[in-house]
Amino acid sequence: MKFSIKEILTISSLIIFGGLIAFGIFLFEKSDKQPSNNIDKDTLTENNEQRQTNENQTIPYSISIEKEQHGIISINYPVMSGFSDSQVQISFNNAVKQTVENEVNISATDNYPANWYEAVEVHIVKQSENFISILISKNAYKGGAHDTGVESSAFNYDLRNNKVLVLKNIFRENVDYLSILSKATYNDLIAEYEEKTYGDWFQEGTSPKDENFDAVTFSEQGLEIYFDDYQIGSYASAILGPITISYGTVKEYLNPESVVATQFLR
């Protein structure tokens, strides 16, 4: 059978048209089964915004570290800026600087050997909208075989109530918090080190006394307890901590209204 050129062109057109229709149906069915690119982008944007809201809680201030050198004395301390309540900001800055300066035991105006020094440094453990937790470390050399060792203390400030945050205030009233911290700390140390070597050191250095727990900071992980050189071991042992006690471990003893409990036990 022979077809004219006109008939061949007509048949070819029909085949092409039919193919286009079939391809269009295929694309329609595929798009119906998969979400569009626009929906994916919108969903991704919403998820990112939500993640940033959850993970990056805005802290309404900034902290810088100021350094001062006075002869053989070197200190640094945090300075707050940008806080909405100027009185809180002033009170915090004054209190923390005074605390750091009180750690210095020698006078910059006296004459000492050139190799003597005293240094006080700070480390921001946690800053939130409700409180700031700071570790203060002091070290000095005043002659002899080696330096005096590291001495640690904590400075915690309640921004919500504009006052220094004392350790006992994060616990419920009438709770023997020193005994609780003493037992938990001792057990953690014994589990990690040889009792035969350090048992007596640990017993004395973690006994329930205020001076043994004056370097407790508040981190995301829990109560961070730091030690001085010679507190729970010899200078050579260099056991300084921290020992971390999770908030869950002491949850029943914490004051639920304290800034620490409201921050970490929501």
Side-chain angles (χ1 to χ4, degrees):
M1 181 182 295
K2 294 183 178 181
F3 297 95
S4 66
I5 294 177
K6 183 177 180 180
E7 289 173 331
I8 291 173
L9 291 175
T10 301
I11 293 172
S12 298
S13 299
L14 291 173
I15 293 172
I16 293 172
F17 182 73
L20 290 173
I21 293 176
F23 184 70
I25 292 172
F26 169 77
L27 289 179
F28 177 80
E29 290 178 346
K30 184 177 181 181
S31 65
D32 190 53
K33 293 178 182 178
Q34 297 181 353
S36 70
N37 288 334
N38 288 335
I39 293 177
D40 284 343
K41 290 179 180 178
D42 291 342
T43 302
L44 182 60
T45 299
E46 291 175 2
N47 289 341
N48 284 339
E49 290 175 350
Q50 185 62 44
R51 177 179 57 80
Q52 290 169 0
T53 299
N54 293 336
E55 295 181 1
N56 187 26
Q57 298 292 336
T58 301
I59 298 175
Y61 60 90
S62 60
I63 294 288
S64 61
I65 303 298
E66 297 290 331
K67 298 183 179 181
E68 293 184 2
Q69 185 77 37
H70 306 285
I72 64 171
I73 300 173
S74 172
I75 65 173
N76 63 31
Y77 52 90
V79 176
M80 176 192 290
S81 61
F83 198 73
S84 58
D85 190 325
S86 60
Q87 188 56 54
V88 171
Q89 180 169 296
I90 292 171
S91 297
F92 167 80
N93 286 338
N94 289 341
V96 71
K97 185 176 182 181
Q98 185 64 56
T99 299
V100 170
E101 290 177 342
N102 287 344
E103 293 290 329
V104 177
N105 294 324
I106 59 180
S107 171
T109 60
D110 293 337
N111 293 320
Y112 295 98
N115 63 336
W116 281 32
Y117 69 84
E118 186 161 29
V120 182
E121 297 186 351
V122 297
H123 171 65
I124 309 297
V125 175
K126 174 67 179 178
Q127 66 179 101
S128 73
E129 64 274 21
N130 293 318
F131 71 90
I132 302 177
S133 187
I134 300 169
L135 176 69
I136 302 174
S137 301
K138 181 175 69 174
N139 183 258
Y141 178 76
K142 302 175 183 178
H146 52 71
D147 59 45
T148 58
V150 176
E151 297 178 20
S152 300
S153 60
F155 180 84
N156 301 302
Y157 201 84
D158 181 342
L159 298 173
R160 193 168 67 191
N161 297 297
N162 194 20
K163 64 180 182 180
V164 174
L165 181 57
V166 181
L167 182 59
K168 69 177 182 179
N169 290 342
I170 75 165
F171 291 92
R172 295 179 184 273
E173 192 174 354
N174 299 323
V175 166
D176 186 3
Y177 66 93
L178 288 175
S179 293
I180 294 168
L181 297 181
S182 172
K183 182 178 180 180
T185 305
Y186 178 82
N187 289 340
D188 276 9
L189 287 169
I190 287 297
E192 186 171 353
Y193 299 95
E194 292 182 5
E195 183 173 5
K196 182 180 179 180
T197 304
Y198 298 104
D200 291 340
W201 285 94
F202 292 167
Q203 190 125 26
E204 177 60 28
T206 65
S207 60
K209 303 175 183 178
D210 285 322
E211 58 265 32
N212 285 338
F213 296 95
D214 62 355
V216 180
T217 61
F218 313 124
S219 73
E220 293 286 343
Q221 289 69 41
L223 304 178
E224 306 277 0
I225 301 173
Y226 295 83
F227 307 101
D228 296 341
D229 275 317
Y230 305 107
Q231 181 178 343
I232 57 173
S234 64
Y235 180 88
S237 68
I239 304 175
L240 301 175
I243 294 294
T244 303
I245 301 176
S246 69
Y247 297 111
T249 301
V250 293
K251 180 178 180 180
E252 62 182 300
Y253 307 111
L254 293 178
N255 174 4
E257 302 301 320
S258 71
V259 290
V260 173
T262 55
Q263 176 75 32
F264 298 114
L265 297 177
R266 294 174 181 173

